[in-house]
Amino acid sequence: MNRAFISLYFFIVFSVIVIGWGLDKFWEKLYPAPDLEADVADLIILLEQDLVPLSAEQQQARIEQHNQHLHNQLQLIHIGDLANSSATQQIRAGEVVSASADADRLIWYKRIADTDQVLVMVSPNSDQTRSPVYSGLLIIFYLGIALVVFLWVWPLSRDLSRLEKHTRLVGKDGAPDQIAVAPTSTVFTLANAFNRMAKRIRELINSHKEMTYAVSHELRTPLARMKFALAMVDNHDDAKVQKQLDSIHQDVMEMENLISALLSYAGFEQESQQLDRRDGFMHDLLNELCARIYRDRPDAVAIHIRDESGGQAFNCEWKLMECVILNLLQNAARFAREKIQVELRITDTEFQVAIEDDGPGIPPEQRARVFESFVRLYNEHKPQPSGFGLGLAIVKRIMKWHGGDATFVDARSGGARILLYWPKQPMPLFPS
């Protein structure tokens, strides 16, 4: 709103100045102002010289005589009747002074030498502003202002129409297409917000499709195993029946875990929440999470923490950050051979947490893909990937909420090294 107001205001003011100046110059060239002052001054001086040798009564009679033959009207007044002003001082000095009484009359003053009498001549003002040409130029002026306002409004109307068209038309994937607007456009910020909305809608639609495909695929496998196990239950061998029931129980647990993961991921799809960022110590959180991992998996590899933050506090949403780091530690524990290295660092502008394992690592060409939903990479050391491919997608989303990111970088141990970083100052949830 402020940008549109300032732009329109200065555009109109500049246009008024340019158009008005141009038409004024054209008018002066078409009707140059007549140089009447010298002629009138000469006439008044001649009248003064005619009145100087006469007495007061004779002067008044001569004035009346001249008024009968002149187009201009003459009269005599006492200089004391004039207001004390700079013009009056000029009249006292004997100069010819002109003044405009109204739109139709011009008044000329000349003091009669060696007297206190002032000769006043009133002449009609030839007003050329009433001519048809002047009226035409005035119409052109207002039409010019209307034209420049139209030239300013037309791009705005065009961009708004395009925005309305893109809003009405839905792409083949169910989301509106991106709209391209010049940075100089008044609706540039609105178009950017629209494009972000369209991008978010497309992401949600793609995520919905991926979830639908993944659920149908993931549920088909345990259901097939359950159907096969139930078919084998017809055998009356109690040991085999119990084995098949145990297999069905495991499949049910796997389906339950899948549903829990899907519900968790669906919850993280909502980007409407506001982060409750607080100061705290990341080293304490890591100690607690390591203890939890060792309780669940006593045979887990060693986790080493190197704190390079100098004991400074980290600022984040701790509940979400706990989910991120626990997910990454459990992921690293699955593939690590001997140890997991966790590094904490605080720079001038951001917080950093790096988690590295000495496992097989991730090929550089696949590092960006693993953050997508339901993506699980095949590994020759573990050909049956565990999990459902949602953990890293959740990690990526949480770090985006913090205004940062999660990315895989080269590891010194040859394994996988993921770097988490986010700015010290809270970022808006929807950046502009």
Side-chain angles (χ1 to χ4, degrees):
M1 178 61 185
N2 292 336
R3 178 180 178 181
F5 170 77
I6 294 174
S7 174
L8 179 60
Y9 176 78
F10 282 106
F11 191 66
I12 291 179
V13 169
F14 177 77
S15 302
V16 168
I17 294 174
V18 172
I19 295 175
W21 177 82
L23 291 178
D24 185 63
K25 290 298 181 181
F26 178 76
W27 174 255
E28 289 181 358
K29 185 176 181 179
L30 190 64
Y31 291 101
D35 187 12
L36 298 177
E37 292 188 2
D39 297 337
V40 174
D42 292 343
L43 175 61
I44 292 178
I45 291 174
L46 290 175
L47 292 173
E48 176 200 11
Q49 293 176 355
D50 182 51
L51 296 175
V52 166
L54 303 179
S55 63
E57 293 79 5
Q58 292 174 335
Q59 288 177 349
Q60 187 62 40
R62 184 63 60 85
I63 290 293
E64 294 176 358
Q65 182 181 359
H66 286 319
N67 284 338
Q68 294 176 1
H69 303 284
L70 292 177
H71 183 65
N72 300 324
Q73 296 296 310
L74 303 175
Q75 63 179 354
L76 291 173
I77 62 174
H78 193 273
I79 196 170
D81 296 337
L82 299 176
N84 189 12
S85 63
S86 59
T88 302
Q89 297 300 325
Q90 292 177 322
I91 295 173
R92 288 181 182 275
E95 300 179 14
V96 179
V97 178
S98 64
S100 178
D102 50 43
D104 298 324
R105 294 185 302 163
L106 288 175
I107 302 179
W108 304 83
Y109 300 89
K110 177 67 173 74
R111 179 187 176 190
I112 299 176
D114 301 327
T115 68
D116 291 333
Q117 298 289 84
V118 177
L119 175 63
V120 180
M121 185 176 71
V122 181
S123 61
N125 184 15
S126 57
D127 188 6
Q128 295 174 335
T129 60
R130 296 183 179 180
S131 68
V133 176
Y134 183 85
S135 300
L137 291 178
L138 198 61
I139 294 174
I140 293 175
F141 174 78
Y142 287 114
L143 289 178
I145 297 299
L147 177 63
V148 298
V149 172
F150 172 79
L151 292 177
W152 185 91
V153 172
W154 179 75
L156 174 63
S157 176
R158 178 200 60 195
D159 293 339
L160 288 176
S161 298
R162 292 171 59 189
L163 191 61
E164 180 185 5
K165 180 180 178 181
H166 279 72
T167 304
R168 293 179 179 275
L169 297 178
V170 177
K172 62 181 180 180
D173 57 353
D177 296 329
Q178 299 278 319
I179 181 174
V181 175
T184 56
S185 174
T186 308
V187 297
F188 179 70
T189 55
L190 177 62
N192 282 343
F194 176 86
N195 289 336
R196 289 196 299 271
M197 178 194 70
K199 179 181 178 182
R200 179 59 182 155
I201 292 175
R202 191 168 287 105
E203 289 176 353
L204 291 174
I205 292 174
N206 292 335
S207 176
H208 175 74
K209 290 180 180 179
E210 292 175 356
M211 183 177 294
T212 302
Y213 297 153
V215 168
S216 61
H217 178 270
E218 295 293 341
L219 292 182
R220 187 179 293 113
T221 300
L223 284 175
R225 292 199 301 261
M226 291 170 64
K227 289 170 63 178
F228 178 75
L230 289 174
M232 296 296 294
V233 169
D234 293 339
N235 193 316
H236 295 289
D237 189 337
D238 292 339
K240 291 183 177 180
V241 170
Q242 185 61 44
K243 183 179 179 180
Q244 298 303 326
L245 291 177
D246 292 340
S247 176
I248 292 175
H249 178 71
Q250 291 179 359
D251 291 336
V252 171
M253 293 297 296
E254 183 178 347
M255 294 175 64
E256 184 178 0
N257 292 335
L258 172 60
I259 293 173
S260 299
L262 290 174
L263 290 176
S264 177
Y265 180 73
F268 282 107
E269 278 292 309
Q270 302 299 324
E271 254 190 30
S272 58
Q273 66 180 20
Q274 297 293 326
L275 297 183
D276 182 18
R277 292 183 56 157
R278 298 184 182 182
D279 290 337
F281 296 97
M282 189 64 68
H283 197 283
D284 295 341
L285 174 63
L286 285 169
N287 288 333
E288 179 183 343
L289 295 180
C290 290
R292 188 186 308 178
I293 291 175
Y294 289 141
R295 284 197 304 267
D296 297 338
R297 296 183 56 184
D299 59 339
V301 298
I303 301 176
H304 302 280
I305 302 174
R306 186 167 70 184
D307 190 354
E308 300 179 2
S309 64
Q312 299 182 59
F314 282 68
N315 182 271
C316 61
E317 165 66 79
W318 288 97
K319 182 178 179 181
L320 297 178
M321 197 58 64
E322 176 183 350
C323 175
V324 168
I325 297 179
L326 179 61
N327 196 313
L328 296 179
L329 288 176
Q330 290 175 341
N331 223 30
R334 263 189 229 113
F335 297 96
R337 296 188 180 95
E338 296 180 0
K339 69 174 183 177
I340 298 173
Q341 181 77 31
V342 182
E343 299 175 6
L344 305 180
R345 187 178 296 106
I346 298 179
T347 67
D348 294 337
T349 58
E350 63 184 16
F351 304 103
Q352 296 180 0
V353 178
I355 300 177
E356 178 180 339
D357 63 68
D358 57 356
I362 299 176
E365 65 273 9
Q366 295 184 342
R367 289 176 180 176
R369 182 169 171 263
V370 296
F371 289 107
E372 298 177 3
S373 307
F374 307 104
V375 172
R376 293 178 293 175
L377 300 181
Y378 175 81
N379 188 287
E380 60 181 5
H381 300 283
K382 295 190 176 183
Q384 296 297 329
S386 57
F388 304 102
L390 295 175
L392 290 180
I394 293 175
V395 167
K396 189 81 167 182
R397 189 169 300 279
I398 292 177
M399 296 313 301
K400 289 292 186 181
W401 288 352
H402 281 77
D405 204 354
T407 180
F408 279 97
V409 295
D410 294 332
R412 292 183 293 270
S413 63
R417 178 183 177 89
I418 187 168
L419 176 64
L420 309 176
Y421 57 92
W422 66 99
K424 287 185 175 181
Q425 297 297 326
M427 301 292 289
L429 199 58
F430 297 100
S432 58

